[in-house]
Amino acid sequence: MQRILEHVKPERRNKEIVHNPIYPIFWQRSFHFETIEQVISYLVPLVVPVLKLSGLYQRGLQNALDLRRTTFTVNDPNLPANFDGFTILFLSDLHIDGNDALIQPFCQALQETAVDLCLLGGDYRFHIRGEFRKVMDRFEQFVPHIQSKEGIIGILGNHDSWEMIKPLERLGIVMLINESVQIKRENESLWVLGLDDPHYYKCDDYHKANRGIPEEAFRILLSHATGTLFNLDSEPVNLYLCGHTHAGQISLPLFGPIITHSKLKGPFVYGRWQYKHIKGYTSAGVGTSAVPVRYNTHSEIVVITLQKRSGQDDKHYSEVSEINTHW
Ligand SMILES: [Fe+2]
């Protein structure tokens, strides 16, 4: 517990305490009407009744159970040779207490996916606050199905409480709070840096996580959202894994995602992107939040294979040379 209290920033702890879990969220929010997305987000409570009236609700529930496996390779000449072919299972935005029907196909997908390392990208709870007993029950159900030689490493998202760290660690998950872990193979290593939430709590601290890591090390950065990118222009990050957007969750034909809860739009909302030297992936996530439905997006588990080579996979990345928050 001492270690957790040292690493979880007081502003996160204070912000969680300030919010009363039984007080309606509507009254806790400061109101922002700067963007269309912010205005639309206040209409979320109307989404389920409208969908039910329109007859589309059941279709949305079924779409949310369409769990797919996304696979791709990341080529990097700087990858240590012993990690050539290293596989990573990346699971983000589980919101695992939000849809009871998802646990069975999720466990099935995990049973069929053997990897070297499993990374969890945060957002384990459906709601932003409140009790999380059901989240832990679900973790106890699915964690035994994860087949990962090097174990499971996780971070917190904006839906998670710092008080979830200890029970998650009891399940054998290494929780990183602006910390890093070294994965060794013979005389070589790669490092996983895990940051606290950059979106709501704004407690991500790359420099703290990076402390003590050799300059030439291969770095995989685990951050719940793309917000950390603003501070990484000249940092030696090889691969950036995040989620948070759910790929929009509800995406309209021709228009695209309505709400992403992210300043960074375009290629940062879903899939592979490259910002300067950093290759990244934004996952659509396993679960759903706010409303348990998806339209024109799907749930996913992600399997990444690292390869020690240059080029070849680059054409799959949407290259971004400058961060533009007005996409
Ligand atoms: Fe999420």
Side-chain angles (χ1 to χ4, degrees):
M1 184 53 105
Q2 188 56 36
R3 180 195 132 254
I4 294 170
L5 290 174
E6 271 171 30
H7 290 288
V8 176
K9 294 193 176 188
E11 51 265 43
R12 179 190 250 276
R13 298 204 300 267
N14 294 341
K15 213 167 179 178
E16 288 185 21
I17 292 164
V18 164
H19 290 297
N20 183 332
I22 60 168
Y23 205 57
I25 188 171
F26 186 76
W27 300 110
Q28 295 168 15
R29 296 168 74 152
S30 53
F31 290 89
H32 299 285
F33 297 102
E34 292 153 18
T35 66
I36 293 171
E37 184 175 321
Q38 284 167 353
V39 174
I40 294 172
S41 69
Y42 294 108
L43 303 176
V44 164
L46 301 176
V47 170
V48 170
V50 168
L51 287 172
K52 283 182 175 172
L53 282 173
S54 68
L56 291 170
Y57 187 62
Q58 286 302 322
R59 169 66 65 86
L61 287 176
Q62 285 304 311
N63 291 343
L65 300 178
D66 180 15
L67 182 63
R68 301 182 191 177
R69 182 186 291 103
T70 302
T71 61
F72 61 93
T73 58
V74 172
N75 294 348
D76 193 322
N78 298 316
L79 182 72
N82 280 313
F83 289 89
D84 194 14
F86 191 82
T87 51
I88 297 166
L89 172 63
F90 178 47
L91 307 171
S92 189
D93 297 271
L94 284 72
H95 301 290
I96 199 67
D97 55 335
N99 188 339
D100 289 341
L102 189 61
I103 192 73
Q104 194 279 329
F106 183 43
C107 288
Q108 178 79 32
L110 295 175
Q111 280 169 15
E112 295 167 1
T113 311
V115 291
D116 292 307
L117 178 64
C118 176
L119 299 177
L120 305 180
D123 268 14
Y124 310 120
R125 178 168 58 184
F126 185 73
H127 293 293
I128 293 173
R129 53 190 66 87
E131 62 90 29
F132 49 83
R133 184 59 252 170
K134 190 175 176 185
V135 178
M136 294 308 146
D137 289 344
R138 290 294 186 221
F139 264 77
E140 284 170 21
Q141 253 181 292
F142 78 77
V143 163
H145 295 285
I146 294 177
Q147 301 174 65
S148 169
K149 288 179 196 160
E150 305 281 355
I152 309 167
I153 298 172
I155 54 170
L156 294 180
N158 58 298
H159 276 246
D160 305 319
S161 164
W162 68 277
E163 292 180 80
M164 292 161 76
I165 295 170
K166 206 170 176 184
L168 288 170
E169 288 186 334
R170 268 194 226 113
L171 293 173
I173 300 166
V174 176
M175 293 299 295
L176 299 179
I177 320 143
N178 298 319
E179 299 166 284
S180 66
V181 163
Q182 183 181 19
I183 312 281
K184 289 183 186 174
R185 278 197 169 177
E186 296 180 18
N187 58 342
E188 292 181 318
S189 324
L190 59 75
W191 293 76
V192 177
L193 292 78
L195 305 190
D196 200 353
D197 170 49
H199 174 69
Y200 177 66
Y201 292 106
K202 302 192 190 315
C203 286
D204 55 317
D205 191 338
Y206 171 82
H207 295 289
K208 186 166 176 286
N210 194 44
R211 248 175 242 160
I213 302 179
E215 185 61 32
E216 70 285 0
F218 189 91
R219 290 167 173 78
I220 298 171
L221 182 67
L222 196 51
S223 179
H224 179 61
T226 49
T228 308
L229 265 185
F230 289 102
N231 306 314
L232 298 180
D233 268 21
S234 54
E235 301 299 339
V237 171
N238 299 82
L239 179 62
Y240 186 122
L241 298 178
C242 61
H244 180 63
T245 61
H246 302 191
Q249 202 171 300
I250 297 175
S251 183
L252 299 181
L254 302 176
F255 182 82
I258 307 168
I259 298 174
T260 63
H261 294 295
S262 174
K263 283 183 181 172
L264 298 182
K265 309 290 187 192
F268 293 112
V269 171
Y270 174 61
R272 281 180 273 181
W273 43 262
Q274 179 157 0
Y275 172 60
K276 298 189 175 174
H277 61 288
I278 302 171
K279 286 180 177 176
Y281 186 80
T282 307
S283 173
V286 174
T288 52
S289 64
V291 286
V293 295
R294 283 186 184 267
Y295 297 96
N296 297 315
T297 67
H298 59 82
S299 303
E300 66 174 3
I301 67 169
V302 182
V303 179
I304 303 158
T305 304
L306 303 181
Q307 292 187 324
K308 184 176 175 60
R309 63 182 73 157
S310 53
Q312 288 197 5
D313 73 337
D314 291 358
K315 64 180 181 292
H316 299 296
Y317 289 87
S318 302
E319 276 192 51
V320 183
S321 56
E322 238 176 70
I323 289 179
N324 178 359
T325 57
H326 304 290
W327 232 298

